[in-house]
Structures are given as structure tokens and as C-alpha cells.
């Protein structure tokens, strides 16, 4: 099909309109502020918003990242339950292939549990 | 524009307006309140924003959880002296133009807890209040009425000239001093530029 113009022409038009759509209100707001409504920065206005309280301390603190262990163990049991229920409900109609696939899936999750057990994560300290 | 000419044009189906009217019309129909409740009045405020009373009819249903996006502070409930600095700081963190509705007897005067050692006797001692609503608590209709009052006030604001509102004046403050919660009382206990105790004069 010979249209006489490049098809990427529309992309350029859309890009320009999209950028204009985003930038024009900002530009108008700046124009409005310059003409009518002066900017009024201030100490507490520029401060961090902390529900009205003054923020204390530094946000750049170190914290223990050991939560991932609980995340993994939770995932093992949660995903297992999530898939075992429909598996149990549909069990009579399943053929052997689906049954084997489910067993492989369960094995993968049980591997995670075995890994956590080996690492001693299940011991209450 | 001359009012007669305007009516004349209106009869011919020509709508005329000014920048000021457009500006105020847009602002008064999109007052976003700060999501912020202090006591039982907040329950009435929530009721007013729900389907039965439907604050959305006035374009004010968008309760913002951050002062950066809010236009209106509804001080709904008892302001304790411990909470007062936070309320003032939140007000300071709102961008101009900003408005305040003091909702209920406590917010306007301390209400039934006025004699309490820990209760601020009216938030208008620290921040400029646009509309006061009496009542304990005021019904949602009263809050709607306060909204309509505020809308009328916004509609009457001028864009230029010496009588233009605070947010259009370069020199007018947009922040107000935050009181400190001290060991005995809040200090200072009022902003003298905003509020003076009523003076009683003995009749001669």
C-alpha cells in the first residue's frame, strides 16, 4: 500500500501530542503562579510529611533482611494449599499425566521445605 | 462587564464569563478535604461523605491522605493540647489556597470539655478558620451547609486588587507559628495575630 507518507509519522504525532498533554498544564500552572498566585514555600511546608509530627532521625538505616526466610516458607505452604485444594477436588477425573505433573510440582515445593529443614530454620530458638 | 449587557447577551444564547469566575467556579467545585478526624465529629464527617448524604455532589468527596493534595482541613473533633501542634503543622503543610472548617463545639470553642486542662479552647487560636459549625456533634446536613457556605465564600473571592484573598498576596503568610507542647501548657497559648480574647467593657 502506497500512502505517500511514512507510517511512523503517526508515532511522531502521537508522541508530540502526548508530551504536550503532559507539559502544557504544568506550563499553564507556572504561568498562573507567575501572574496571580505567588509561591509560598516555608520551613514546615518543605519539611517531610509525617502525619503532622516532626520527622526524627535518618531514613538511611540498616535493618535485618532475614524476613525472606519466612517469606519462602510461607510460600511453600501457601502455594501448596492453593493448588492442592483444586487438585483434590478434580482428583477423580485426572489422568495419569496430570497426576505425575502435580507430583513433580509438589516435589519442587517439598524440596524447599527440605532445604529449610536442613538449614535448621524450623528449630525454635 | 455591564450586568445589563450580560443579561442581554444571555437572552441571545451567548454565555459570557471572566477568568475570575472560571477560576472560582473550578475551585469551589473541587474542594478536596484532608482525610483527618479527631473525635466523634469525624463519624458525622464520614457519614456526610457516604452515599446517604453524598458530599460528592459538591465535588468534595476526594479525601486526601496527604496535606500536599488537600484544599480544605475539616477540624472534626476535640483538639487536645497535645494534638494542636500537629494540627497546625498539617495546616502549614497544605498548599495555598487552603481553607478550614471547624466542625463541632469542641473545634470551635472546646465545647463540653472547655474546662478540661488538656483541651484547646478553639482551633481558631492558631489557624484562620473560614467556617465554624456549632453542634455536638453537628449533623451531616450541617457539614453540607458549611460546605455550601465555603463555596459561596470562594465564589466571592477576587482575583486582583487590594481585597484579593491571602493566597494571592505575596506578603501574606501561608504558614502560622506552631505552638510547643510544654510541661504545663501549650506555649504560646494563642496566635495574637489571629485571635484575641474577647474584651469585656463595663457599661458606665
Amino acid at each position: 500500500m502506497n500512502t505517500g507518507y511514512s507510517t511512523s509519522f503517526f508515532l511522531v504525532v502521537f508522541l508530540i501530542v502526548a508530551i504536550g498533554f503532559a507539559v502544557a498544564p504544568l506550563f499553564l500552572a507556572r504561568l498562573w503562579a507567575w501572574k496571580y498566585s505567588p509561591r509560598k514555600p516555608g520551613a514546615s511546608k518543605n519539611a517531610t510529611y509525617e502525619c503532622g509530627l516532626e520527622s526524627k532521625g535518618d531514613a538511611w538505616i540498616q535493618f535485618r533482611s532475614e524476613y525472606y526466610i519466612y517469606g519462602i516458607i510461607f510460600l511453600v505452604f501457601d502455594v501448596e494449599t492453593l493448588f492442592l485444594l483444586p487438585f483434590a477436588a478434580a482428583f477423580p477425573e485426572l489422568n495419569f499425566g496430570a497426576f505425575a505433573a502435580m507430583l513433580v510440582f509438589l516435589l519442587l515445593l517439598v524440596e524447599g521445605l527440605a532445604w529449610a529443614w536442613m538449614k535448621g530454620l524450623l528449630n525454635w530458638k | 462587564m455591564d450586568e445589563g449587557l450580560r443579561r442581554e447577551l444571555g437572552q441571545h444564547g451567548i454565555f459570557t464569563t471572566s477568568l475570575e469566575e472560571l477560576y472560582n467556579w473550578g475551585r469551589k467545585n473541587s474542594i478536596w478535604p484532608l482525610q483527618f478526624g479527631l473525635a466523634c465529629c469525624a463519624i458525622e464527617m464520614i457519614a456526610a461523605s457516604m452515599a446517604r448524604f453524598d458530599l460528592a455532589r459538591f465535588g468534595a468527596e476526594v479525601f486526601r491522605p496527604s496535606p500536599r493534595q488537600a484544599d480544605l482541613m475539616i477540624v472534626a473533633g476535640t483538639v487536645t493540647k497535645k494534638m494542636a501542634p500537629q494540627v497546625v503543622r498539617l495546616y502549614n503543610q497544605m498548599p495555598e489556597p487552603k481553607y478550614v472548617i471547624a466542625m463541632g463545639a469542641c473545634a470551635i470553642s472546646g465545647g463540653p470539655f472547655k474546662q478540661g486542662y488538656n483541651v484547646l479552647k478553639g482551633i481558631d487560636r492558631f489557624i484562620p478558620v473560614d467556617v465554624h459549625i456549632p453542634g455536638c456533634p453537628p449533623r451531616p446536613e450541617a457539614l453540607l451547609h458549611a460546605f455550601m457556605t465555603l463555596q459561596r465564600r470562594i465564589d466571592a473571592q477576587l482575583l486582583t486588587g487590594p481585597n484579593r484573598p491571602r493566597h494571592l498576596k505575596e506578603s501574606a503568610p501561608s504558614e502560622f507559628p506552631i505552638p510547643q507542647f510544654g510541661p504545663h501548657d501549650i506555649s504560646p497559648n494563642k496566635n495574637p495575630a489571629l485571635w484575641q480574647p474577647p474584651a469585656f467593657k463595663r457599661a458606665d
Side-chain angles (χ1 to χ4, degrees):
Chain A
M1 191 171 69
N2 187 11
T3 50
Y5 46 80
S6 165
T7 44
S8 53
F9 170 75
F10 287 109
L11 278 182
V12 175
V13 169
F14 268 72
L15 195 69
I16 290 171
V17 170
I19 291 173
F21 192 75
V23 171
L26 294 175
F27 177 72
L28 283 176
R30 181 53 63 90
L31 207 66
W32 183 268
W34 170 75
K35 182 82 175 68
Y36 293 111
S37 186
R39 291 162 67 87
K40 289 184 180 180
S44 53
K45 198 172 172 183
N46 291 348
T48 315
Y49 165 57
E50 288 266 16
C51 300
L53 297 164
E54 276 179 293
S55 53
K56 288 194 177 113
D58 199 0
W60 291 92
I61 52 163
Q62 289 189 327
F63 55 91
R64 289 155 69 87
S65 60
E66 288 186 5
Y67 179 73
Y68 80 98
I69 291 164
Y70 299 97
I72 287 174
I73 297 177
F74 170 76
L75 197 73
V76 167
F77 287 104
D78 185 58
V79 174
E80 206 160 330
T81 320
L82 208 66
F83 282 95
L84 273 181
L85 269 175
F87 175 61
F91 192 74
E93 292 105 58
L94 286 182
N95 56 15
F96 182 74
F99 179 68
M102 195 63 199
L103 277 190
V104 171
F105 173 71
L106 276 183
L107 188 70
L108 281 173
L109 288 177
V110 170
E111 258 177 53
L113 183 63
W115 170 82
W117 202 341
M118 297 261 288
K119 229 181 156 200
L121 300 177
L122 300 185
N123 295 328
W124 185 265
K125 277 178 287 198
Chain B
M1 184 187 267
D2 179 43
E3 198 55 42
L5 175 63
R6 194 171 171 163
R7 207 173 299 118
E8 178 79 27
L9 282 170
Q11 281 166 359
H12 293 290
I14 300 171
F15 173 69
T16 54
T17 185
S18 64
L19 194 59
E20 183 181 281
E21 281 174 8
L22 268 181
Y23 177 57
N24 287 342
W25 174 77
R27 285 191 312 138
K28 79 171 185 187
N29 289 308
S30 63
I31 308 171
W32 291 4
L34 186 61
Q35 190 170 17
F36 167 72
L38 290 172
C40 20
C41 281
I43 303 295
E44 302 294 317
M45 180 179 75
I46 294 162
S49 71
M50 289 295 151
R52 187 181 179 91
F53 296 100
D54 203 12
L55 208 52
R57 291 176 293 161
F58 304 91
E61 80 282 13
V62 199
F63 279 80
R64 305 312 294 183
S66 160
R68 313 287 191 208
Q69 301 155 350
D71 306 306
L72 168 70
M73 177 182 250
I74 304 173
V75 184
T78 319
V79 188
T80 57
K81 285 178 180 170
K82 197 161 187 177
M83 194 63 191
Q86 277 70 260
V87 174
V88 179
R89 189 174 288 109
L90 281 176
Y91 179 76
N92 284 350
Q93 286 181 338
M94 283 162 61
E96 292 272 20
K98 51 189 172 185
Y99 303 93
V100 178
I101 290 178
M103 182 182 182
C106 294
I108 66 177
S109 68
F113 313 111
K114 190 178 173 71
Q115 307 301 329
Y117 65 95
N118 63 331
V119 173
L120 189 70
K121 290 149 190 69
I123 192 62
D124 52 0
R125 291 172 187 227
F126 291 108
I127 55 179
V129 176
D130 294 281
V131 186
H132 295 78
I133 320 173
C136 186
R139 281 191 53 83
E141 289 97 330
L143 184 59
L144 294 184
H145 182 256
F147 254 102
M148 289 154 75
T149 311
L150 184 64
Q151 284 186 324
R152 276 197 290 276
R153 283 190 67 146
I154 292 175
D155 211 20
Q157 286 186 334
L158 302 170
L159 192 55
T160 50
N163 290 329
R164 65 193 192 280
R166 185 188 71 227
H167 72 276
L168 298 176
K169 283 182 183 162
E170 186 94 53
S171 55
S174 90
E175 289 196 10
F176 292 87
I178 299 168
Q180 294 290 319
F181 181 66
H184 301 297
D185 201 350
I186 198 165
S187 69
N189 64 359
K190 61 175 179 293
N191 183 351
L194 290 176
W195 188 86
Q196 290 288 347
F200 296 104
K201 274 197 178 156
R202 193 181 295 274
D204 291 325

